[in-house]
Amino acid sequence: MTRFTRRAKASLREELLTAAADLLADGGVAALRMTDVAARVGVSRQTVYNEFGNKTALVQAVALHTAGEFLDGIHQRFTEAPELLDAIRASVAYTIEHARENRLVAAALGTEAGEDLLPLLTTRGEPILAAATELAVTHYRERRPRLPQREAELLAETVVRLSLSHLMLRTHSAAEAADAVCRVIEPALAKYSLSDSE
């Protein structure tokens, strides 16, 4: 496969994922049809099936693609923040703010049509939870080399789960939620602080 062909295939996949995300935000999983995705992009229905296999795989691909965009944003905040706790605060606030603005996530959390999308964030959210936790663990251990792997995993999973909880129950602003999450994990992180690494 040539470089041009690979780029064209990646571009087509991106267009199909964008079209499917828009349709899912409008009507949820039940209303999603491969024919409609194909029509939005201007390809045959078979092209969509060739790319994803079936509707379930397409929905999962959309969820992972959306999660990937969030993970890129989180990685950027970790890269830019001078201190680990600042990075965690910025990444939690970013996650909540942008999830509330994302049409697909907003539909899952707040519309009748999107009710069947909610399991992608909750009961079937394992791939997203695992990816977010793994990214956080990498950053935690870079900033706190003495932090044991298992403890880093527990702290990261705690942050991810608390972030999801604040996202689903909108009782605080993104900044307030981020501050609350940091207050919970700060004592555990402080045990592994190295003055010469900060």
Side-chain angles (χ1 to χ4, degrees):
M1 186 183 296
T2 67
R3 187 180 306 159
F4 175 79
T5 305
R6 281 195 301 272
R7 276 202 309 259
K9 186 168 174 51
S11 176
L12 173 61
R13 185 177 179 85
E14 187 79 21
E15 286 184 59
L16 292 170
L17 288 169
T18 299
D22 287 343
L23 290 165
L24 283 166
D26 291 340
V29 176
L32 182 69
R33 298 180 335 139
M34 303 293 252
T35 302
D36 296 335
V37 175
R40 283 249 176 140
V41 178
V43 297
S44 69
R45 183 179 69 159
Q46 189 59 48
T47 299
V48 184
Y49 278 104
N50 290 346
E51 189 64 38
F52 297 102
N54 58 47
K55 185 168 96 167
T56 301
L58 172 59
V59 171
Q60 189 66 41
V62 169
L64 290 173
H65 183 261
T66 302
E69 292 174 347
F70 282 96
L71 293 175
D72 287 345
I74 290 167
H75 174 72
Q76 181 181 343
R77 271 124 194 106
F78 269 102
T79 302
E80 293 171 350
E83 303 287 341
L84 178 56
L85 208 58
D86 295 332
I88 293 169
R89 183 177 287 106
S91 66
V92 171
Y94 165 82
T95 299
I96 294 170
E97 287 168 359
H98 289 275
R100 289 174 178 170
E101 294 168 3
N102 180 285
R103 280 190 70 230
L104 183 59
V105 178
L109 296 174
T111 68
E112 190 174 322
E115 280 182 3
D116 58 4
L117 295 168
L118 192 55
L120 295 172
L121 294 173
T122 55
T123 56
R124 292 199 329 252
E126 167 62 25
I128 295 169
L129 177 65
T133 300
E134 184 179 333
L135 175 65
V137 167
T138 299
H139 284 290
Y140 291 9
R141 297 205 68 217
E142 283 175 0
R143 302 285 185 98
R144 295 286 196 280
R146 291 174 44 225
L147 181 62
Q149 177 72 22
R150 184 63 187 136
E151 184 122 0
E153 290 168 358
L154 288 171
L155 288 171
E157 186 173 335
T158 298
V159 170
V160 172
R161 289 182 182 275
L162 286 172
S163 298
L164 283 173
S165 176
H166 279 287
L167 177 60
M168 292 188 198
L169 299 171
R170 297 181 65 152
T171 54
H172 299 85
S173 71
E176 290 168 337
D179 286 341
V181 170
C182 285
R183 280 196 301 276
V184 169
I185 65 160
E186 185 173 14
L189 286 174
K191 291 191 300 184
Y192 300 100
S193 178
L194 285 173
S195 58
D196 59 334
S197 70
E198 302 248 297

